[in-house]
């Protein structure tokens, strides 16, 4: 005869597994959403800088032959500017809300405040301080752990940064796109 505790365990165990899978999925959704939001915000901020503005980088020391190792790069894509943008990007997570993607039933994170003043459709979007704080924490973690990769992608104009950075390079959106990973 089975003990009542064992029968209860056998009934509850599948539900506990299902619940832990949901938590892992939600964690992956928030990390992916934060990464994609970081890319959006950084691309927009970079686009707002005058492309004609240049900055000198390199060494200002004079080489033995009398030359200097100085070069001019666009300000918007300079390492110093990118570091400034990364310092501020996570504060912009307050402008995002949560929405469930009907086709995949996964949570996505969308901007809820317009940059150009146009009205936005927020009918299916949840605006919640819990979402904002989770997204901000995920953003801070991503920026801290993947600083070098972010700078590498934004230092040069690259197409499809969201997919390349968030899926291919960092695995933060591994579920969103199946692209072969970089070799180490």
């Amino acid at each position: 005869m089975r003990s009542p505790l064992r029968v209860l365990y056998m009934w509850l165990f599948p539900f506990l597994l299902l619940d832990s899978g949901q938590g892992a999925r939600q964690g992956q959704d928030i990390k992916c959403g934060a990464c994609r939001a970081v890319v959006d915000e950084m691309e927009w901020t970079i686009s707002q800088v005058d492309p004609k503005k240049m900055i000198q980088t390199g060494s200002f020391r004079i080489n033995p032959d009398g030359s200097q190792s100085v070069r001019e790069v666009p300000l918007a894509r300079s390492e110093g500017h990118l570091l400034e943008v990364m310092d501020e990007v996570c504060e912009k997570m307050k402008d995002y809300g949560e929405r469930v993607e009907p086709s995949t039933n996964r949570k996505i994170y969308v901007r809820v405040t317009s940059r150009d003043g146009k009205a936005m459709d927020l009918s299916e979007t949840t605006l919640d301080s819990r979402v904002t704080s989770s997204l901000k924490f995920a953003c801070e973690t991503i920026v801290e752990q993947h600083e070098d990769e972010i700078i590498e992608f934004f230092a040069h104009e690259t197409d499809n940064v969201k997919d390349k950075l968030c899926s291919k390079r960092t695995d933060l959106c591994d579920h969103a796109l199946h692209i072969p990973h970089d070799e180490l």
Side-chain angles (χ1 to χ4, degrees), residues 24 35 47 87 121 123:
C35 185
S47 75
D87 282 345
D121 176 22
S123 59

Side-chain angles (χ1 to χ4, degrees), residues 12-80:
L12 285 177
F13 185 70
F15 294 110
L16 292 173
L17 281 178
L18 182 64
D19 189 46
S20 68
Q22 286 292 100
R25 180 173 159 177
Q26 287 174 344
Q28 186 179 30
D29 288 349
I30 195 103
K31 289 175 189 172
C32 179
C35 185
R36 296 177 77 79
V38 165
V39 171
D40 278 342
E41 293 300 327
M42 290 194 64
E43 284 178 339
W44 187 82
T45 303
I46 289 168
S47 75
Q48 298 307 297
V49 177
D50 181 0
K52 295 175 187 167
K53 281 191 174 181
M54 303 297 271
I55 188 171
Q56 290 184 339
T57 63
S59 173
F60 291 96
R61 290 186 175 184
I62 297 177
N63 296 329
D65 64 356
S67 66
Q68 286 182 311
S69 302
V70 178
R71 61 188 174 103
E72 283 197 347
V73 296
L75 172 66
R77 299 205 178 264
S78 68
E79 186 173 343

Side-chain angles (χ1 to χ4, degrees), residues 21-178:
Q22 286 292 100
R25 180 173 159 177
Q26 287 174 344
Q28 186 179 30
D29 288 349
I30 195 103
K31 289 175 189 172
C32 179
C35 185
R36 296 177 77 79
V38 165
V39 171
D40 278 342
E41 293 300 327
M42 290 194 64
E43 284 178 339
W44 187 82
T45 303
I46 289 168
S47 75
Q48 298 307 297
V49 177
D50 181 0
K52 295 175 187 167
K53 281 191 174 181
M54 303 297 271
I55 188 171
Q56 290 184 339
T57 63
S59 173
F60 291 96
R61 290 186 175 184
I62 297 177
N63 296 329
D65 64 356
S67 66
Q68 286 182 311
S69 302
V70 178
R71 61 188 174 103
E72 283 197 347
V73 296
L75 172 66
R77 299 205 178 264
S78 68
E79 186 173 343
H81 183 255
L82 293 173
L83 287 169
E84 279 181 37
V85 172
M86 286 188 335
D87 282 345
E88 299 167 3
V89 73
C90 295
E91 291 302 319
K92 296 179 181 175
M93 296 302 117
K94 69 183 182 311
D95 297 335
Y96 284 78
E98 185 177 76
R99 182 180 289 170
V100 176
E101 180 68 35
S103 61
T104 61
N105 207 28
R106 294 193 81 112
K107 292 181 180 177
I108 59 170
Y109 299 87
V110 295
R111 193 166 177 79
V112 296
T113 56
S114 172
R115 292 184 179 117
D116 59 8
K118 292 182 182 177
M120 299 178 71
D121 176 22
L122 303 176
S123 59
E124 300 291 320
T125 306
T126 304
L127 306 173
D128 185 353
S129 62
R130 174 195 57 83
V131 169
T132 302
S133 62
S134 295
L135 202 57
K136 183 178 178 190
F137 179 75
C139 174
E140 290 167 347
T141 303
I142 290 165
V143 167
E144 183 180 320
Q145 291 178 349
H146 301 287
E147 179 179 317
D148 294 337
E149 289 95 342
I150 293 169
I151 289 174
E152 177 186 333
F153 274 97
F154 285 104
H156 310 285
E157 229 170 304
T158 307
D159 291 336
N160 213 7
V161 175
K162 277 185 201 173
D163 292 334
K164 289 178 181 174
L165 177 66
C166 299
S167 295
K168 186 176 179 184
R169 183 63 69 86
T170 63
D171 283 339
L172 294 168
C173 296
D174 206 21
H175 68 281
L177 185 65
H178 298 289

